[in-house]
Amino acid sequence: MNCAEFQDDLPQWLEGDRKVESEAHLRTCPACHELIADFDFIRRAAGQLQESAEPSPRVWNSIAIALRQEGLIRDGERESATVTVFPRPRGRWLNWLAPIAALGLIAFSLWTYQNGSPESAGQSALPPKVQTASMSLEDRQLLDMISARMPSLRQTYESDLQDVNAYIQDAEQSVHSNPNDEEAQESLMQAYEQRAMLYEMALNRSLP
Amino acid sequence: MTTARKTLGNGLTEAEAIERAKQGDGEAFETLYGLHKRRVYSLCLRMTGNTAEAEDLTQEAFLQLFRKIATFRGESAFSTWLHRMAVNVVLMHLRKKGLPVVPLDDTLESDDDVPKKEPGAPDLALTGSVDRLQLQRAIGDLPPGYRTIFVLHDVEGYEHNEIAGLVGCSIGNSKSQLHKARVKLRELLKTSRAEKANKPRGA
Amino acid sequence: MKQHSKRAAKLVLVVVIAGAVYGAAQTRKEFRYTVSPKSTVYVANQYGPISAKSAPGNQVVVTVVLRSDKVEVEQSQRGNRVEIRSHLLTGADVDSGQADYEITLPSDANVTLQSSTGPLHVEKLNGDVTLEGATAEVDVRDLSGGHVHIKTLNGPVTLTNVRDGHVEITSVSGDVVLNGVEGPLVQVNSTSGKIHYDGNFGFGGQYSLTSHTGDIEALAPPYASIDVTARSVRGQVENDFPLEPKHSSFVAKAGSAFAGTVGKAASSVKLLSFSGKIHLKKR
Ligand SMILES: [Zn+2]
């Protein structure tokens, strides 16, 4: 084997797929030996750049301002904070979300606290109690908003949301029992992506 | 990748910070930001080579994630998702600028790009003779497509299959472009070392 | 009793009148835009179908049928971007708010279509295609070179003859069918939908088909060149190919699984489910 051949095989060699001929060439060739040493150095040095730079404080300041404007940071409202927990994508969306969220919330509170059971409210659009009981507040608020905006989609969102939550639960369990299992981690990411998509679709949709 | 049960400066675990952030707690957001800012910003800086752009992209990546915070349950995927989101934000930015994110396909490129070293007297090895600043500069001087693959693999530690997924190229392509990027980087480092030896740069 | 049938009669009358009103209010509109290469066309239509196809020339032609006066069209062209939205007026619902779109456009255009109910249909394009529909049925065929991103809740997705792009499909519960879909990246992520793949797994690409509870069936030719990993945590897995073992420790992990290579292993194929059945079949 000569240097050119060795270098052709180098990508495989670096991946750990090492031919006997390559090993032999390396022992006799200082130039290729140095090449390997340099690649090794580059890789080690590059890994140290991972957290090498510090952003200027103005980055956090801009983020904080945006979070306040979008209502994601609500300082001083901690007690009542549990009522408006929506992820807030930017844009025009905000104009209509606030009233809708409030409406949805009012409807939800009325329904929960006055009627006790959804059936007694006499509304067929309301979901069966058993199913929503297991949902988080965010999920119920999302569904309330959908009931208000797109009643025909409520059922779809509700059953999909339940499925996705079950997906996350199973995937989280897999990751906890096998923390180094790459496929389990991948499944968990996919489960989160599903939930994120559901929220994004519900909240970003162009509506009147 | 996970940061399970890590207790932060203010006594919150990451999971607690996420839960509090969902409730609108500004400090919790700041805690999460503080935990990941260096990693995200460094990534943006290495991939763009420009501090102003890197700051904008860092801001965008965190905002995108924070907007989705209500969809999180638990912490296991938080950092993985944040880093992936940062990568996507940067790649999207590069695409918008019309810079090649996916390196050219092997078939479209002649092998002459990678100079084969002829046998002969070796130069000095890089180890010990190149500092961090030189390395950062050299990465910044890589052509954009090579730089993306190099930063994702050698700096960020992504595997080739993940890179293929992120940038939209084949695994084989990612492997061969990484190799070319390293060869190119080595040349740049040798040049920079030679320049430094001739006339030391002022800071 | 008597009262009851009287009310039924009234109801029929109301329906007939309503039908007549819709019929009368239905309007057809056409918009034309001249664009340069690589234009962007964005259409958002809450209720109703959108269909987009390529046509020769440098024009984007949009034909809209509005089902009632409860829905209007907002349209604009800014530079090389054409944007069209259905605007729903107060009281519009899934019927009265419906609009039907048919679009022809240059084949290099990038297209984004959004409709809750759909269906969404795209044909013969080389640009990027982004489709989003909650319950919308999605049918995409004969695309090449562009990136294809599709999101649905329970809408079924069918892709036929899509090549050389970056294909990403996310559907919560809709079934996904891929026929002749190949490229550097093909990714399907579903919660409960079934996934069916029939193709060559070519392009040295990365193929990832994932469903939490849905079955995954993949058909490949005997000459396929793949590095495959399949696992269902609680479901069955089945494989018709003779596999060369890999050195990875994957198979030893929980659940039923198989992994190995076929041919030169140019492409990577990952099939993952939690409780669905997985079957890699020889075509
Ligand atoms: Zn040699």
Side-chain angles (χ1 to χ4, degrees), chain A residues 3 25 29 32:
Chain A
C3 291
H25 177 80
C29 176
C32 288

PDB file of all heavy atoms in Angstrom, chain A residues 3 25 29 32, ligand 1:
ATOM      1  N   CYS A   3       0.951   5.784  -0.016  1.00  0.00           N
ATOM      2  CA  CYS A   3       0.296   6.849   0.754  1.00  0.00           C
ATOM      3  C   CYS A   3      -1.092   7.186   0.192  1.00  0.00           C
ATOM      4  O   CYS A   3      -2.038   7.402   0.944  1.00  0.00           O
ATOM      5  CB  CYS A   3       1.163   8.103   0.753  1.00  0.00           C
ATOM      6  SG  CYS A   3       2.671   7.895   1.708  1.00  0.00           S
ATOM      7  N   HIS A  25       1.169   0.016   6.568  1.00  0.00           N
ATOM      8  CA  HIS A  25       1.696   1.226   5.950  1.00  0.00           C
ATOM      9  C   HIS A  25       1.993   2.293   7.013  1.00  0.00           C
ATOM     10  O   HIS A  25       3.026   2.963   6.984  1.00  0.00           O
ATOM     11  CB  HIS A  25       0.715   1.779   4.926  1.00  0.00           C
ATOM     12  CG  HIS A  25       1.187   3.069   4.322  1.00  0.00           C
ATOM     13  ND1 HIS A  25       2.119   3.128   3.312  1.00  0.00           N
ATOM     14  CD2 HIS A  25       0.886   4.353   4.625  1.00  0.00           C
ATOM     15  CE1 HIS A  25       2.368   4.387   2.997  1.00  0.00           C
ATOM     16  NE2 HIS A  25       1.629   5.160   3.786  1.00  0.00           N
ATOM     17  N   CYS A  29       5.394   4.625   7.563  1.00  0.00           N
ATOM     18  CA  CYS A  29       5.340   5.920   6.881  1.00  0.00           C
ATOM     19  C   CYS A  29       5.134   7.065   7.866  1.00  0.00           C
ATOM     20  O   CYS A  29       4.049   7.255   8.392  1.00  0.00           O
ATOM     21  CB  CYS A  29       4.215   5.914   5.854  1.00  0.00           C
ATOM     22  SG  CYS A  29       4.023   7.504   5.053  1.00  0.00           S
ATOM     23  N   CYS A  32       2.195   9.683   6.837  1.00  0.00           N
ATOM     24  CA  CYS A  32       0.823   9.279   7.124  1.00  0.00           C
ATOM     25  C   CYS A  32       0.589   9.194   8.627  1.00  0.00           C
ATOM     26  O   CYS A  32      -0.500   9.478   9.114  1.00  0.00           O
ATOM     27  CB  CYS A  32       0.494   7.948   6.447  1.00  0.00           C
ATOM     28  SG  CYS A  32       0.334   8.140   4.665  1.00  0.00           S
TER      29      CYS A  32
HETATM   30 ZN    ZN D   1       2.149   7.145   3.716  1.00  0.00          ZN
END
